[in-house]
Amino acid sequence: MNLKKLLVVAAGAGLMASSFVTVQAQDLGGTLKKIKDTNTITIGYRESSIPFSFLDDKQQPVGYAIDLCMKIVDTVKADLKLPNLKVALQPVTSSNRIPLLRNGTIDLECGSTTNSKVRQEQVSFGPSYFVINVTAAVKKTSNINTLADLNGKTISTTSGTTSVPLLKGYKKTENIQVKEIYGKDHAEAFLLMADDRAVAFVMDNILLAGQIANSKRPSDYKILPESLSQEPYSMMLRKDDPQFKALVDKSIGAVMKSGEINKIYAKWFTTPIPPKGLNINFPMTPPIEEAFKNPNDKGV
């Protein structure tokens, strides 16, 4: 190829690349377009999902999930060239988190949400950042040692969660009868058990550990060893939004692949945390290590 033709080809390639960048910039859709147009990203957080997403002693949202979601915010700032991007924080509950995400009130939910196939019909998820077992917390004086011991008893759980259906579907408890009462969040559901209105709080083991660590007398409680289900947690985002989904996957995948996730995990699960400086002491389990090694968004 002679020099003239080479220059023409090079110029054409440069124009195509330039056009691609311009089209990409103009072609933003979904969440990223909303963020670009408003210069704001709105994060939904939980007020008592210790240590994932909760309020510290200054009533500011903190936690493991919040730290990971701020990594996504950093990526949005860089990719959209929005150094002064505003971060709005919106409290959500188990019951309203999906509706608020779908109607555009929040752009990203950062809490303790199970990635389930049923929920995937309404929303999408980023890479799994935790893996839990669903079980129950009881008082040590309750004489409750197995899930089957809950027969005929009153149990508490949090509105909008999957715990009670799992208990009723568990082969060792499918024939037991329980009465359920619900708290609006994990803190309220735990208090129903702590105040003896229920004998057990059925929930994810790490959330039980967080509530116990934050209670007045942690030594009064125990977590049952049985597991109703093993479930992955992740951040939620709107369904059918491939641009934002790709950004979330890229951002969290990089944190996991680089090993930075180990430092963030240790900060919240194996060292003292606010507001009381208590250590949940929850080392990584093999399923969690596997989730970090091979980032994925598989639901259960």
Side-chain angles (χ1 to χ4, degrees):
M1 184 181 293
N2 62 36
L3 180 60
K4 185 177 180 180
K5 287 184 177 179
L6 183 62
L7 290 173
V8 170
V9 171
L15 180 60
M16 288 175 63
S18 175
S19 298
F20 178 74
V21 171
T22 303
V23 169
Q24 287 295 93
Q26 293 175 346
D27 235 15
L28 286 178
T31 301
L32 290 181
K33 183 178 189 303
K34 177 176 180 284
I35 292 170
K36 182 80 170 180
D37 290 346
T38 62
N39 193 43
T40 303
I41 182 170
T42 304
I43 290 177
Y45 71 90
R46 302 295 296 276
E47 295 181 305
S48 63
S49 288
I50 302 168
F52 295 90
S53 180
F54 63 101
L55 297 174
D56 64 10
D57 53 356
K58 298 177 183 177
Q59 297 301 292
Q60 294 300 309
V62 296
Y64 174 70
I66 298 295
D67 281 1
L68 289 177
C69 283
M70 292 310 295
K71 295 294 181 182
I72 295 170
V73 171
D74 290 342
T75 304
V76 171
K77 287 181 178 180
D79 285 11
L80 299 189
K81 297 180 173 55
L82 297 174
N84 298 315
L85 178 67
K86 297 176 183 177
V87 180
L89 298 167
Q90 170 71 41
V92 299
T93 66
S94 297
S95 299
N96 69 18
R97 55 190 168 183
I98 291 179
L100 291 180
L101 180 66
R102 296 187 70 192
N103 71 18
T105 301
I106 62 173
D107 301 314
L108 188 66
E109 191 264 349
C110 308
S112 51
T113 300
T114 294
N115 177 358
S116 70
K117 292 179 181 178
V118 171
R119 286 176 176 153
Q120 285 179 5
E121 296 175 3
Q122 300 184 75
V123 297
S124 288
F125 291 86
S128 299
Y129 53 60
F130 204 82
V131 182
I132 59 89
N133 288 304
V134 180
T135 184
V138 298
K139 286 186 175 179
K140 291 179 179 177
T141 56
S142 67
N143 293 320
I144 303 291
N145 297 304
T146 69
L147 292 168
D149 291 339
L150 298 175
N151 189 33
K153 306 291 196 303
T154 298
I155 64 168
S156 69
T157 191
T158 307
S159 296
T161 62
T162 59
S163 303
V164 171
L166 287 171
L167 180 65
K168 292 181 176 179
Y170 184 49
K171 62 182 180 181
K172 294 182 180 180
T173 56
E174 59 186 356
N175 295 316
I176 72 171
Q177 298 295 317
V178 296
K179 177 184 177 182
E180 310 106 45
I181 53 176
Y182 296 87
K184 66 178 176 63
D185 57 24
H186 302 317
E188 185 175 279
F190 180 83
L191 281 176
L192 291 172
M193 182 269 293
D195 291 342
D196 296 319
R197 292 181 58 191
V199 300
F201 174 26
V202 181
M203 187 47 59
D204 309 342
N205 58 352
I206 184 59
L207 297 178
L208 297 175
Q211 291 299 320
I212 289 172
N214 202 44
S215 68
K216 293 179 180 178
R217 293 181 295 276
S219 61
D220 286 358
Y221 308 96
K222 66 181 180 181
I223 297 175
L224 300 184
E226 288 178 270
S227 175
L228 295 172
S229 175
Q230 188 175 88
E231 302 178 353
Y233 280 0
S234 190
M235 63 277 297
M236 280 196 303
L237 51 147
R238 274 181 284 281
K239 191 175 175 65
D240 300 324
D241 191 349
Q243 287 182 335
F244 192 50
K245 167 69 171 159
L247 183 146
V248 169
D249 289 349
K250 176 182 74 170
S251 180
I252 300 304
V255 172
M256 291 177 175
K257 291 294 187 180
S258 70
E260 186 180 3
I261 190 70
N262 298 317
K263 181 179 179 181
I264 298 173
Y265 186 97
K267 173 183 174 182
W268 293 105
F269 296 101
T270 60
T271 55
I273 62 171
K276 297 183 179 180
L278 297 174
N279 189 342
I280 292 177
N281 192 24
F282 199 96
M284 279 188 208
T285 62
I288 294 172
E289 291 176 348
E290 177 61 24
F292 295 165
K293 183 179 179 182
N294 296 296
N296 69 88
D297 62 356
K298 295 178 182 177
V300 293

